[in-house]
Amino acid sequence: MVPLYTNNLHHEVELGVVIGKGGTSIPQAAAMEHVAGYALCLDMTARDIQDECKSKGLPWTLAKAFNTSCPVSEFIPKERIPDPGSVNLWLKVNDKLRQSGCTSQMIFSIPYLISYISDFITLEEGDLILTGTPKGVSAVQEHDELQAGIEDVVTMSFRVDRQDY
Ligand SMILES: CC(=O)CC(=O)C(=O)O
Ligand SMILES: [Mg+2]
């Protein structure tokens, strides 16, 4: 759903990491023991609002945490993705490929992210960490059909609606 307050809603396809065992200050070497599995996630982002917040040094809450802002696939057990550092993600808008990338291109590894985050915020069972998006983000419009996938693992699709309340 496109919130009423944005004119520039972007798709960001991402690998989500589902935490199975909580912890604080988790060392990188132990981080994968805290992972239960994965999910395909769309970090829908109101880019105009994000840019405005960035320029004012404000948090990005309204840009990234509006109703329906983060579609999430079914849960993918850890065993189905033996190497999360090398999975291909893709996203199409109206059948046109817009994003395609591999998690090997990520700046920070999954163990690093888990360790870093848990230094500041205690992770709990069921927490979902989005790991960042590959290149190709672009605007979506009402009625667009979005399809996304983790190659050989899962696909999901949905239609973009405009907020009407
Ligand atoms: C600038 C961003 O929106 C960062 C982000 O969410 C990403 O996936 O990268
Ligand atoms: Mg993102």
Side-chain angles (χ1 to χ4, degrees):
M1 178 196 73
V2 186
L4 291 171
Y5 55 75
T6 181
N7 290 308
N8 197 15
L9 181 66
H10 281 194
H11 53 77
E12 293 188 0
V13 67
E14 310 198 13
L15 179 67
V17 178
V18 181
I19 297 298
K21 185 176 74 172
T24 308
S25 295
I26 299 166
Q28 279 196 61
M32 295 311 289
E33 295 163 24
H34 292 256
V35 174
Y38 305 94
L40 176 62
C41 304
L42 295 186
D43 176 20
M44 299 303 291
T45 301
R47 199 69 71 198
D48 45 358
I49 306 302
Q50 184 188 37
D51 289 345
E52 197 181 325
C53 292
K54 261 190 202 173
S55 71
K56 293 179 180 166
L58 294 171
W60 300 351
T61 316
L62 287 180
K64 283 186 178 279
F66 51 88
N67 286 344
T68 76
S69 62
C70 188
V72 174
S73 75
E74 69 204 44
F75 173 72
I76 302 159
K78 190 179 187 174
E79 298 70 36
R80 288 201 56 208
I81 303 187
D83 183 4
S86 181
V87 292
N88 293 314
L89 306 172
W90 57 270
L91 180 136
K92 293 179 183 177
V93 179
N94 301 326
D95 270 336
K96 214 172 142 184
L97 188 65
R98 292 276 181 83
Q99 289 190 268
S100 174
C102 184
T103 51
S104 60
Q105 297 164 315
M106 280 167 43
I107 298 169
F108 300 112
S109 69
I110 290 169
Y112 179 89
L113 292 172
I114 290 171
S115 178
Y116 181 84
I117 293 167
S118 70
D119 275 343
F120 298 94
I121 301 166
T122 295
L123 290 171
E124 295 184 1
E125 183 183 354
D127 280 350
L128 176 65
I129 299 172
L130 271 63
T131 56
T133 196
K135 67 180 186 322
V137 300
S138 68
V140 298
Q141 314 295 335
E142 186 181 10
H143 305 315
D144 279 349
E145 301 281 347
L146 268 59
Q147 238 194 322
I150 300 174
E151 199 176 80
D152 299 329
V153 178
V154 73
T155 60
M156 67 176 177
S157 55
F158 66 93
R159 203 172 70 110
V160 179
D161 283 332
R162 184 118 202 139
Q163 184 178 6
D164 59 1
Y165 55 87

